[in-house]
Amino acid sequence: MAAELEAEVPAFDRSLLECSAEELAAKWLQTNDLQKEVYQHLAYYVPKIYCRGPNPAPQREDLLAQQVLLGPMEWYLCGEDPAFGFPKLEQANKPSHLCGRVFKVGEPTYSCRDCAVDPTCVLCMECFLGSIHKEHRYRMTTSGGGGFCDCGDTEAWKEGPYCKKHEINTSETEEEEDPLVHLSEDMVARAYNIFAITFKYAVDILTWEKENELPGLEMTEKSDTYYCMLFNDEVHTYEQVIYTLQKAVNCTQKEAIGFATTVDRDGRRSVRYGDFQYCEQAKSVIVRNTSRQTKPLKVQVMHSSIVAHQSFGLKLLTWLGSIIGYSDGLRRILCQVGLQEGPDGENSSLVDKLMLSDSKLWKGARNVYHQLFMSSLLMDLKYKKLFAIRFARNYERLQSDFMKDDHDREFSIADLSIQIFTVPSLARMLITEENLMTTIIKTFMDHLRHRDIQGRFQFERYTALQAFKFRRVQSLILDLKYVLISKPTEWSDDLRHKFLEGFDAFLELLKCMQGMDPITRQVGQHIEMEPEWEAAFTLQMKLTLVISMMQDWCALDEKVLIEAYKKCLAVLMQCHSGFTDGEQPIVLNMCGHSVETIRYCVSQEKVSIHLPVSRLLAGMNWLSVSFKISHRTKTLCNELSPPMLIEHPLRCLVLCAQVHAGMWRRNGFSLVNQIYYYHNVKCRREMFDKDIVMLQTGVSMMDPNHFLMIMLSRFELYQIFSTPDYGKRFSTENTNKDIVQQNNTLIEEMLYLIIMIVGERFSPGIGQVNATDEIKREIIHQLSIRPMAHSELVKALPEDENRETGMESVIEEVACFKKPGLTGRGLYELKPECTRNFNLYFYHFSRAEQSKAEEAQRKLRKQNREDTALPPPALPPFCPLFASLVNILQSDVMLCIMGTILQWAVEHNGYAWSESMLQRVLHLLGMALQEEKQHLENLSEENVVTFTFTQKISKPGDAPNNSPSILAMLETLQNAPHLEVHKDMIRWILKTFNAIKKLRESSSTSPVAETEGNIMEESSRDKDKAERKRKAEIARLRREKIMAQMSEMQRHFINENKELFQQTLEELDTSASGVHDNSPVTSDAKLTALGPEQTRVAEHRQVVMCILCQEEQEVKVDSRAMVLAAFIQRSTVLSKNRSKTIPDPEKYDPLFMHPDLSCGTHTGSCGHIMHAHCWQRYFDAVQAKEQRRQQRLRVHTSYDVENGEFLCPLCECLSNTVIPLLPPPRVLFNRLDFSGQPNLAHWIKTVCQQIKALYLLRDEDCASNSEKMDELQLPEGFRPDFQPKNPYSESIKEMLTTFGTATYKVGLKVHPNEEDPRVPIMCWGSCAYTIQTIERILADEDKPLFGHLPCRQDDCLTSLTRFAAAHWTVSSLSAVQGHFCTLLASLVPNEKNGNLPCILDIDMFHLLVNLVLSFPAIHCQDFSGVSLGTGDLHLFHLVTMAHIIQILLTSSTEENGMDQENTSSEEEVAVLTLYKFLCQCTGSALKEISSGWHLWKNLKAGIMPFLRCSALFFHYLNGVPAPSEMEVSGTNQFEHLCSYLSLPNNLTCLFQENSDIMNTLIESWCSNNEVKRYLEGKRHAISYARESNKLIDLPDDYSCLINQASNFSCPKSGGDKSRAPTLCLVCGTMLCSQSYCCQTELEGEDVGACTAHTYTCGSGVGIFLRVRECQVLFLAGKTKGCFYPPPYLDDYGETDQGLRRGNPLHLCKERFKKIQKLWQQHSITEEIGHAQEANQTLVGIDWQHL
């Protein structure tokens, strides 16, 4: 079916292309009924263009639609060719001063914290960079898409509303002119006509509900072609949809993923095309499959022509959006058309129709029309207002649609509220004209229907569906916040009236919350079901800001405040009349005072933590104080007696105290959580803080004695304090520890509450302070716990509605900032002078914080040699209304409480009391004394001090029981041995007491009393000193005694184990002398690393210890093998060509390494040593454990046992093999050398003969013809049949094979095969590559070559080089000989080996290592007396000369005439000569160069890396120590290197000495075809020295990266924005990570873009920056990965992973270097291993999908 249709398609195209837009437009201009004409045209052509087959073809459809459908409309509109018409319109148009750029997903947006009216005012990047705000404190976020840039909106910014680009447009005329004046009249009429028709058509077709007919677009012939259309919802997951589709329409997984991605992006996609039956069948399968758990996926079978018209409808809306961009006049016309009432009256305009059917439309359609609304209605200020009114009138319907809609808010029309309600003028207008506040609150209340009998909210179990609905409902609170966010400056009567109406509604809401979720204490058994508490607290949290803003609004106008206050009181009265728990009054008596109160017990009755109405009243109360209208509120308050005001807040605080005392344990976690949130920074502002304020308000109107008695009664402590000696009886009768403990805690909590009521006066209106004092105090107390980072401080401070804490303005005054190092973050430290403001009983401390702060402050005081008392700080005075609060401290009941507790402490055995109780009493005493001192100091003449605390505490108790005075008890306690900790505090109190006495008596003269006090203090101080001295003496004697005992025991032990100690000492001696033996060599002689002149080094024994069995063993040839844990990995760190891949690893020959080092094998080690057999046992155990684990759990570990990985048993470093430790291997094969050693030419000749002989012999074997053998002239002393004996023990041989095979397996990515001839090549290659990487790291850090490697790298290189040198002994001899022959043939050609790579395509250092390490295989059969060292030297010279030629051929010297000295040195002359010879050999294809100085400079620079690598190689191979000059970086490194490597300083001498053979060799090298091609410019070659690879350069400002990422679209899904754009830091590619669209198949598994990229770019290892999350991602292989802190920091030295805080981020170069170093050192995999071991959650992540 589909095929037939496909075949027919082109036939239509021709007729379509003949349709002329110009003629059609002319016809339309003539007609009377334009709508009919246009509709006919569309009815005929739209189905012919759109939806012609199963798969959409957007390019073709758009092209034809432009030609046939939109073209005529554009002609009609312009009245001429649109190509001329539109530019004319644009010129006439006055550009808008609004930016209005609509944000894409992930685009960076900027908000200015100084100038934005609220946080929703944002700028796009372009406007931001051109504005004044980039110098201010700004916040950067990434947009979720859909908002637009507010540049040019004067209502959004306090200053700087225009950027440079939009400022120009504001200058001409400011007053609002009608934009239609720029258009001609008939243009207006035409625009009106065509807009009305097209807009109506689009709206009708999009909101059309029937599936089989069309609105006024009847088709000519109706075909049986349908689509099965799948719609998006937010319930089903990708996996469910993909699985269902594969079943329903039997497509492949790839196709299903494509469908699912499109459905998710556009909101719908046809999944089947055909006749009705065919589509219906697919629909039923989909519905059946997805309806089991949730509601089924939405699927519709739609006629193809409907789908066609809908596609075109969307195209039309987009077209309208682009047309109105040409002219403001056209925009105005479209707005008129859209908002014009239709024939049906209310809600019949096109805009209303679209809005109200929003939830029925699919995602793509919604996006298109929202965009159109934004670019039309919201950009035209006149119509924005009209649209706002329509929106407000339909608010309730839109919200209830949104509740039922299953799309997220950003796709709902309801989300436009943020664009409308945040405009201050619109918000005010909507409140006054449309009563918006009331509407929002009423809508909100309607959605929370569940109430209990008292009419309070009741939340059911918090299921997922509940949570989903509740989240929807919360968006209404957000709207309310937007409406209130900007406060009115002047009030009209209308606004007052409507605001108070809204306030009424709000009180109704709070009334439903007052007392919700009541709880009763569980006694006996634990609660069975945890009650629902989250919903209520979520509601409270969301409302916190709204409540604060309501209070702020009230505070702006006196009339409003008084009215609101009355309303609030009335509601509270209603609430109280509802409570029935106060029937029986009881009378309390104490200290001669009595008070009547109700009988109520928190631990027995219902109690609720939610009291928003009382708390709102408390807020109003202190507002009224600042308004000086308190006298009126006083009279109002009397209706509700002060005891009633404080009743509920007090119950709440008692509940907290009892929970702390453990009385509510059986009520489960829900209560613990509620108490936690009650104090938490998110809620406390409108909960805990307001309860304290309410208590302060109530108590300030009561007799303090009455209050204290009521409080004792509520805390259930009245008995203890009101009956004398009750405490003693209580503690003897009650053996139950728990009850005693509970009572102690309750007393502590009650004292704490008194401290808070008297001491918390830092809220403006209660104490005489301003808002900054409050913030300062918060910061001081946070920082007294420990130094904190900026973000921690921000979290600990409450935010206002603009997300500000006000911290930045005051932080400098109280703290100093310390910048971070390479890790960690910047910290604020408290300034020392601020510690005196520290209050141990600060009311926002949690328990843990309080004890930490106390510890920290005491420690600090000890350090500063001060006494450790933490006295209460001096407090600001109360405001007049609250001044009476201080009298609590000197009231009779208070003194009685304090006296009783001190009495318990004095007779501390008989009573149940606690130290913290005493500490709190001491604190209260201190507060009272401070208070009195301040009163005395601020005393003016006529005032009498009413605060006489000192007198009251010096008075002993009354007659019957004659208790001593408080003062006397303190003096007794000062010397009590059980109160060591509190001594300093008691001393401080007594000192202050004396100071106050002095102050009081300064007016009268009585020096006697003063001295008395002083003497008393002195004597006590002396006593104290003596006591301390005595204690110190006792401690000293005890220490001496212990030391004596220990040394005695030691002597005893040595005597018993004499011979053991003797042995150890001898060993120490020998090992020390061993080291001395080989040191004299280094002093006088010149050190040479290779050749016959090689410095002989005395062997020293190497004794090592196994980390598994702790046994020591010497490393010998014939002993059991010792091994190092090692990790081999493929690496592209040095690569100059990442795109190269090995086509077929099984056939690939790695003998020659290309100089682009496209992929090497790196070996690293942690340096820990084990016995081979211990390791084997350990590894078997790991494997067995892994098999058991796999049967139990299917999770990955951080290492992959199947690939031979394990963790080093000591340091848990990731390893995948072991390197055997060997003694220096060359010593074993170096036979005696005779005096005469051949020169290079002679040596080459001999070796060539030997090679020839070997080749012949091999051919002979095949021919099995032995006569030829005699004819063969064997070189003298060469015995090709000799098989050398392997000197190594079995276990060492086994380890040599193990490590060799592992290198081969990893390096080539093949299955292990120890017989493969490529094994030795891979081992040599790994040795060479590892040395090259280490040389590069040292060079990049400008470190000297020797003496600066960490010992783990040093050990690794020693073992690796020795291993590589010994590996040929376990390989096939003939294979290694063959390798040597081929390798040598690349430099010294012979007739056997054809087509070897040319000299430009060989990495010379790899070649050198391969030659030197394979040469022993030939040398072992040579008995002519030539030493191995000679071979090394000649090979080294030969390769060095080849490298020099390589450098000269590829050096691109630009001669820039700055020839240094004219007198050329011999080196320069020699190089020029050589270069000229090269020119001859290459047939003058080389550039002429006359400056020898340049050549020599280039040659030295180019050959340096090679010489440094060679020095490292021969140093580790032959064990010759490095000369001391090379352990420091200085000049002349080149000369020292040459001398160490026995090279002449003038390298070209090598050519002159061996000119006879070298000339022929150079000619043969230059005659290679590839060299000729290179010189003719037909190919490219690597030039030297190779530059070090670095990670890419990152921009300094992070927002550049965000911008780059927001412009990046997914390469696979046609221009769609990528969700997780990720930047490869190695090559700079941007990838679309973590998404289905970019998954590819790798080795039979689906992997994400990043994982796939690591295989091409980093051979399995990758470093990425996830741009939206601002976090670095390390990947290794498919199962390993971890996140790493990014190198971007904000001004406070912190990273911002997830971009949550939005502070501007800048690149920290040091941290980026650290990441780069990890990469260069190949430590990424190790880093991931450590991270995954430390954090098990990382193991569970599917890294391969990133």
Side-chain angles (χ1 to χ4, degrees), residues 1-26:
M1 168 113 205
E4 290 167 29
L5 274 166
E6 286 295 333
E8 287 171 29
V9 170
F12 287 127
D13 285 3
R14 287 181 203 94
S15 71
L16 290 173
L17 291 174
E18 289 155 13
C19 174
S20 150
E22 192 176 352
E23 291 164 18
L24 199 64

Side-chain angles (χ1 to χ4, degrees), residues 822 1590-1591 1594 1625-1626 1662-1665 1671-1674 1683-1688 1707-1724 1727:
L822 257 186
K1590 297 207 167 25
L1591 295 180
L1594 288 175
L1625 292 180
V1626 178
I1663 305 183
F1664 302 94
L1665 179 67
Q1671 103 199 127
V1672 169
L1673 165 69
F1674 288 166
F1683 298 117
Y1684 193 80
Y1688 281 92
L1707 182 67
C1708 165
K1709 297 210 169 56
E1710 291 70 35
R1711 294 198 184 203
F1712 191 45
K1713 279 208 184 98
K1714 188 179 167 200
I1715 294 177
Q1716 181 161 290
K1717 198 171 170 189
L1718 279 177
W1719 173 66
Q1720 287 170 335
Q1721 291 178 336
H1722 294 84
S1723 307
I1724 297 294
E1727 194 69 30

Side-chain angles (χ1 to χ4, degrees), residues 464-624:
L465 190 67
Q466 276 304 105
F468 178 76
K469 275 201 175 137
F470 196 52
R471 271 203 303 277
R472 296 265 148 136
V473 179
Q474 286 163 28
S475 63
L476 289 153
I477 303 181
L478 214 60
D479 284 348
L480 190 54
K481 192 179 116 181
Y482 293 147
V483 174
L484 295 173
I485 208 160
S486 68
K487 326 258 181 314
T489 39
E490 65 271 351
W491 289 76
S492 62
D493 288 343
D494 244 0
L495 183 58
R496 279 198 192 99
H497 175 65
K498 284 291 195 284
F499 172 74
L500 284 166
E501 213 175 298
F503 189 75
D504 271 339
F506 190 61
L507 279 172
E508 274 304 303
L509 167 64
L510 295 187
K511 191 174 148 190
C512 295
M513 289 170 67
Q514 179 92 350
M516 65 180 165
D517 285 355
I519 40 183
T520 320
R521 180 170 166 226
Q522 285 287 120
V523 196
Q525 66 176 39
H526 197 281
I527 195 162
E528 283 174 14
M529 280 271 279
E530 291 276 348
E532 175 45 52
W533 63 276
E534 286 168 66
F537 261 92
T538 312
L539 187 55
Q540 172 67 42
M541 255 187 246
K542 297 279 176 197
L543 281 176
T544 295
L545 283 175
V546 176
I547 297 175
S548 303
M549 285 149 88
M550 283 284 190
Q551 293 170 22
D552 294 348
W553 274 59
C554 294
L556 293 172
D557 184 81
E558 197 173 320
K559 290 181 191 164
V560 174
L561 182 60
I562 293 171
E563 279 305 306
Y565 196 90
K566 282 183 192 159
K567 288 177 189 293
C568 196
L569 253 176
V571 171
L572 190 60
M573 295 283 287
Q574 286 172 21
C575 291
H576 277 296
S577 60
F579 287 119
T580 52
D581 43 21
E583 293 97 349
Q584 318 149 294
I586 50 167
V587 178
L588 309 172
N589 289 307
M590 197 168 164
C591 306
H593 298 270
S594 73
V595 65
E596 189 178 274
T597 177
I598 53 173
R599 182 176 304 229
Y600 174 84
C601 214
V602 175
S603 59
Q604 289 163 16
E605 321 266 346
K606 279 189 172 178
V607 58
S608 165
I609 209 163
H610 295 283
L611 308 167
V613 183
S614 326
R615 290 167 187 153
L616 181 62
L617 188 69
M620 297 280 197
N621 234 332
W622 54 270
L623 286 177
S624 63

Side-chain angles (χ1 to χ4, degrees), residues 776-788 811 813-817 827-838 857 860:
K776 261 191 229 170
R777 180 160 180 257
E778 288 278 351
I779 295 173
I780 288 173
H781 283 87
Q782 285 300 329
L783 293 181
S784 26
I785 305 173
R786 59 184 168 85
M788 284 190 176
I811 185 90
E813 297 171 40
V814 295
C816 321
F817 182 64
L827 294 176
Y828 280 109
E829 283 183 354
L830 192 59
K831 290 188 174 168
E833 65 268 21
C834 292
T835 47
R836 62 163 192 272
N837 294 329
F838 171 71
Q857 291 306 311
L860 189 72

